[in-house]
Amino acid sequence: MENITLAPEIYRAFGLDRNRFIAKRFGHGYINRTYLLQSSNEESYILQRINTQVFTSPEAIASNYRLAADFLKRRYPDYLFVAPLLTVDQKEYCIWNDEYWRLLPYIPHTLALDAATAPEQAYEAARQFGRLTRYLHDAPLHQFQVVIPNFHNLTLRYSQLQEAIRNAREERREYAEELIEGFLDYSSIAIHFEEIKTEKSFPDRLIHHDAKMNNVLLDEKTFKGICVIDLDTLMPGKIISDLGDMIRTYVSPASEEERDFSKIEIRESYFEALIQGYLDELRDLLTPVEKEALFYAGLFMTYMQGIRFLTDFLNEDIYYPIQYPEHNFYRAKNQLILLQQLIAKQDTLQAIIRKHLH
Ligand code: GN1
Ligand code: MG
């Protein structure tokens, strides 16, 4: 990765001497832009430009970070919670040229894997996400802000797909016709969400809402879980969001970017490991409705992500960055195939869940 020149004002806002650092692009999130600042003496930082099209209130994110950090420091003083570093004006971010920038500590001797390559990694990552929700169990839930309204509201995502189908250009709609049918065939997944979302014992909890593998830092030698990162969407939600995203992204060796769909596969050992990791933290907290929804979580998130990609394809790619014209179409198709494979293995996967619930 080549070195990048960033505005001196940004360094200055955080009290950093720009001459001591080199900056490089880091990670490959779709939404925010991330840089690694490295100095010669091991002092490193993560600098991020917040995408304010998606995160319209950086202040809401900062407020949630503050609430969580304060609570965790009091309750679990040894817990590593990676919160933004303050500017010289004591703010969680600086504004430069209408851009919002924030600085985070870089945690040395850790790595973030783009994909799990051993079930133990799935276990460790799932445990970290489960722990975050468990540790925040008694935090003041209602003081946390909803950073992106309706973020994981499948009902809304489903109606956005229907709207996109209606408004799409003929060419795109025809190209995606079969795929659209494929997704509409599984509308029962959206209907099930309608049914359970209002159940009394389906509580809101503090959920990470982006529980992919590379949002966990592992020890670079032992691969033990160290902490979770990318907490922008830490907000009230349902456990099916994090558990479902883990099922969606850890179980198959092929990521959502894979175009060779023959590589999509349900690895039962990874499924088992992540279920175990998540339940080892949360087993005793879960309500009967939540326990009932554990397998559904994978369907819920895979279906929703597929719908989001397909909707974006029909909308001419206004949300997810693309590298070629049909990129979102292939991402959506990938998710539909993963969904079908999860459903095909339902009995086996349900049996694994039952084994670890007690
Ligand atoms: C986006 O930016 P990134 O890669 O962390 C998206 C998630 C999706 C993910 C798909 C705010 O996350 O919801 O699951 O892409 N985040 C937002 O890989 O839309
Ligand atoms: Mg993210």
Side-chain angles (χ1 to χ4, degrees):
M1 281 271 182
E2 58 192 281
N3 294 351
I4 306 263
T5 307
L6 298 165
E9 288 86 347
I10 300 170
Y11 288 93
R12 217 174 295 139
F14 291 102
L16 297 178
D17 174 3
R18 137 180 205 238
N19 300 317
R20 289 181 44 230
F21 294 95
I22 51 167
K24 290 191 161 96
R25 278 291 289 276
F26 192 69
H28 21 245
Y30 292 140
I31 308 296
N32 293 326
R33 179 158 293 194
T34 306
Y35 301 89
L36 173 65
L37 307 186
Q38 271 176 314
S39 77
S40 47
N41 65 351
E42 289 240 320
E43 185 188 351
S44 299
Y45 298 96
I46 296 291
L47 182 69
Q48 277 188 315
R49 193 184 76 199
I50 304 172
N51 177 335
T52 45
Q53 304 270 67
V54 173
F55 294 106
T56 50
S57 172
E59 187 46 46
I61 300 177
S63 161
N64 286 354
Y65 261 111
R66 269 196 301 274
L67 274 172
D70 291 349
F71 178 85
L72 291 165
K73 197 179 269 163
R74 266 184 283 120
R75 280 295 182 85
Y76 301 95
D78 296 332
Y79 181 68
L80 178 56
F81 184 75
V82 186
L85 299 165
L86 300 184
T87 63
V88 288
D89 304 330
Q90 304 298 303
K91 291 203 64 179
E92 280 87 356
Y93 50 84
C94 78
I95 305 171
W96 175 78
N97 243 357
D98 280 340
E99 296 171 358
Y100 286 67
W101 289 84
R102 95 179 136 208
L103 190 72
L104 293 146
Y106 175 82
I107 312 296
H109 311 297
T110 60
L111 44 84
L113 300 171
D114 283 328
T117 53
E120 294 74 24
Q121 297 160 6
Y123 176 86
E124 288 296 320
R127 224 178 152 157
Q128 287 298 319
F129 288 111
R131 182 168 298 170
L132 178 71
T133 293
R134 181 165 71 84
Y135 278 8
L136 290 171
H137 179 57
D138 292 325
L141 184 75
H142 298 290
Q143 290 175 28
F144 282 80
Q145 302 195 36
V146 176
V147 173
I148 303 178
N150 292 308
F151 187 43
H152 284 182
N153 180 349
L154 180 55
T155 314
L156 180 83
R157 299 291 185 188
Y158 189 80
S159 62
Q160 286 171 337
L161 171 63
Q162 289 175 310
E163 199 187 324
I165 297 169
R166 279 197 301 276
N167 299 335
R169 262 197 310 132
E170 193 75 19
E171 193 194 325
R172 288 230 160 177
R173 191 175 38 231
E174 273 174 18
Y175 185 88
E177 202 174 328
E178 224 178 287
L179 190 57
I180 293 170
E181 286 307 316
F183 275 101
L184 295 182
D185 278 348
Y186 291 98
S187 60
S188 60
I189 297 172
I191 294 167
H192 186 65
F193 176 68
E194 276 295 292
E195 288 162 4
I196 60 171
K197 75 177 182 197
T198 51
E199 295 231 18
K200 263 212 197 62
S201 61
F202 195 41
D204 275 345
R205 302 182 184 280
L206 285 163
I207 302 294
H208 182 284
H209 288 104
D210 193 9
K212 54 184 159 220
M213 195 71 204
N214 59 16
N215 278 338
V216 178
L217 299 184
L218 304 176
D219 183 290
E220 67 184 2
K221 291 214 178 81
T222 64
F223 288 74
K224 290 274 178 238
I226 301 293
C227 61
V228 297
I229 55 169
D230 188 13
L231 289 134
D232 292 336
T233 47
L234 174 68
M235 60 180 167
K238 308 290 185 193
I239 57 140
I240 52 173
S241 283
D242 281 359
L243 183 65
D245 236 356
M246 292 191 277
I247 296 172
R248 182 179 82 79
T249 58
Y250 305 177
V251 169
S252 170
S255 81
E256 64 197 11
E257 291 293 330
E258 183 58 63
R259 281 180 72 167
D260 178 355
F261 301 138
S262 69
K263 291 189 179 148
I264 298 176
E265 182 202 335
I266 304 298
R267 300 177 297 185
E268 286 163 29
S269 57
Y270 286 72
F271 183 86
E272 177 155 14
L274 81 85
I275 290 288
Q276 198 178 349
Y278 202 58
L279 290 180
D280 279 355
E281 294 290 333
L282 288 172
R283 189 176 288 110
D284 298 340
L285 273 187
L286 297 187
T287 68
V289 174
E290 287 177 316
K291 287 181 179 169
E292 199 55 48
L294 300 182
F295 172 74
Y296 172 73
L299 308 187
F300 169 75
M301 282 306 294
T302 309
Y303 190 58
M304 183 155 60
Q305 192 60 57
I307 281 182
R308 290 176 68 191
F309 286 143
L310 180 57
T311 303
D312 202 34
F313 175 74
L314 294 170
N315 288 343
E316 316 271 334
D317 315 303
I318 50 179
Y319 191 82
Y320 291 109
I322 51 161
Q323 270 97 51
Y324 55 95
E326 305 84 18
H327 201 154
N328 275 316
F329 172 87
Y330 279 98
R331 287 167 173 155
K333 192 162 182 184
N334 169 309
Q335 296 294 287
L336 183 63
I337 291 169
L338 179 62
L339 176 72
Q340 288 165 335
Q341 294 202 10
L342 282 169
I343 293 170
K345 283 223 171 165
Q346 166 146 12
D347 292 347
T348 316
L349 303 179
Q350 288 279 27
I352 292 173
I353 291 170
R354 276 196 300 277
K355 179 173 144 199
H356 290 285
L357 261 178
H358 305 290

